[in-house]
Amino acid sequence: MSFSRFDDLMDNLPLPEYTKRDGRLNLASRLPNFFVRPDLGPKMYNAYGLISTEDRKVGTTNLHLDVSDAVNVMVYVGIPHGEENQEQEVMTTIEEGDVDDMTKRRVHEGKEKPGALWHIYAAKDAEKIRELLRKVGEEQGQENPPDHDPIHDQSWYLDQGLRRRLYEEYGVQGWAIVQFLGDAVFIPAGAPHQVHNLYSCIKVAEDFVSPEHVRHCFRLTQEFRHLSTTHTNHEDKLQVKNIIYHAVKDAVGTLKAHEPKLARP
């Protein structure tokens, strides 16, 4: 990414107080300059669309969760001309994707370019999702080693059948989002999510650490310790303890600086 495009992206991220590197509500900005800063992006994701009937059972990005918050911006959607069959498959995928009626209207009006179908779940429901995936894995004869995790391993995509089982057996329902060209999707730390590209897309994501979700960041770093030593998430690459320490230190320093001086007797 060239410097001009980098600057253009960072200048136009929504909620800049959270998403910009120096945003006052981005706790990662509290790390002193002598620290090696964690890599928060931006990261570019390029992928083809999944267009066949069988493709609805697989994801461009399988179900996983991230240790930090993120904003994901759709910067390009490649819709081929004259491919009526592909357009119909996209419409069917959206219809079967459990999206809301307002989103369906955006699609059918045809004024915007739909790029990707997301399913995002609340962080508190991660354990119930694990229970379902372990159960389905056992039904299929798969092993469940203790140092592996069905979400962290990114080995599952929740198709319509699995999403239905998740709701019927565990009462868990997520949010289905169609990301159009120019849309930004926010993914909270610890929230399981998956992506299915409807057309060929380019997305750009920037990570950040919000005060609201930093507890999930800390909890996940503890979870990661139990994964195998070869797992990509085994280490605390976010330096979350350092971030929390310096965020609290800055907050206390600010409070002390504005503390009214005690009146002398």
Side-chain angles (χ1 to χ4, degrees):
M1 181 181 291
S2 68
F3 287 117
S4 62
R5 295 195 178 189
F6 170 81
D7 291 338
D8 184 52
L9 172 73
M10 300 307 289
D11 288 343
N12 289 282
L13 285 177
L15 296 180
E17 291 190 338
Y18 283 94
T19 56
K20 294 189 77 168
R21 293 182 177 185
D22 58 353
R24 67 185 183 90
L25 293 176
N26 182 1
L27 298 188
S29 69
R30 307 295 177 172
L31 277 178
N33 290 330
F34 57 79
F35 275 85
V36 177
R37 298 294 182 99
D39 181 12
L40 299 178
K43 303 162 188 166
M44 185 167 66
Y45 298 91
N46 308 322
Y48 290 113
L50 301 170
I51 58 174
S52 71
T53 302
E54 284 302 310
D55 282 340
R56 291 191 202 108
K57 298 182 180 296
V58 299
T60 309
T61 303
N62 283 346
L63 188 76
H64 69 289
L65 52 82
D66 297 314
V67 71
S68 61
D69 304 278
V71 56
N72 184 296
V73 183
M74 180 72 73
V75 297
Y76 172 80
V77 177
I79 299 181
H81 297 290
E83 295 286 342
E84 295 182 3
N85 183 55
Q86 182 173 353
E87 183 177 344
Q88 184 57 48
E89 287 291 344
V90 166
M91 292 295 184
T92 303
T93 300
I94 291 172
E95 287 289 339
E96 295 181 1
D98 306 323
V99 302
D100 59 86
D101 291 337
M102 184 179 295
T103 299
K104 290 178 183 178
R105 281 199 298 272
R106 287 180 70 185
V107 174
H108 289 298
E109 286 172 1
K111 297 177 181 178
E112 301 176 87
K113 293 183 178 181
L117 172 66
W118 292 67
H119 292 95
I120 304 176
Y121 296 87
K124 65 181 178 63
D125 292 326
E127 193 53 44
K128 291 181 179 178
I129 296 174
R130 284 189 180 94
E131 289 181 23
L132 171 69
L133 296 180
R134 289 190 181 109
K135 181 194 293 185
V136 174
E138 289 175 359
E139 292 171 359
Q140 297 177 357
Q142 298 179 11
E143 296 183 1
N144 289 312
D147 59 350
H148 285 262
D149 183 283
I151 296 179
H152 295 318
D153 293 348
Q154 297 190 35
S155 54
W156 291 88
Y157 179 81
L158 299 181
D159 60 16
Q160 189 179 40
L162 288 177
R163 295 196 302 272
R164 186 177 293 118
R165 283 190 64 175
L166 183 61
Y167 178 69
E168 292 174 351
E169 298 177 26
Y170 295 90
V172 172
Q173 190 169 22
W175 292 269
I177 300 168
V178 174
Q179 186 182 21
F180 293 80
L181 177 64
D183 282 356
V185 175
F186 281 84
I187 308 100
H193 59 283
Q194 61 184 23
V195 186
H196 177 106
N197 274 19
L198 302 168
Y199 292 106
S200 298
C201 299
I202 299 176
K203 313 182 194 78
V204 181
E206 176 74 8
D207 297 343
F208 60 97
V209 181
S210 69
E212 292 86 349
H213 300 137
V214 69
R215 62 190 177 93
H216 293 307
C217 302
F218 182 77
R219 176 180 55 80
L220 285 169
T221 59
Q222 307 307 305
E223 261 186 32
F224 291 165
R225 291 182 178 182
H226 301 292
L227 299 175
S228 67
T229 54
T230 58
H231 204 288
T232 55
N233 285 334
H234 185 71
E235 300 177 17
D236 177 14
K237 299 175 183 177
L238 189 62
Q239 304 181 57
V240 65
K241 289 183 179 179
N242 290 331
I243 288 174
I244 293 172
Y245 172 80
H246 286 284
V248 172
K249 182 181 177 182
D250 278 2
V252 171
T254 301
L255 289 173
K256 284 187 174 181
H258 292 81
E259 188 178 61
K261 294 181 179 179
L262 295 175
R264 294 180 180 272

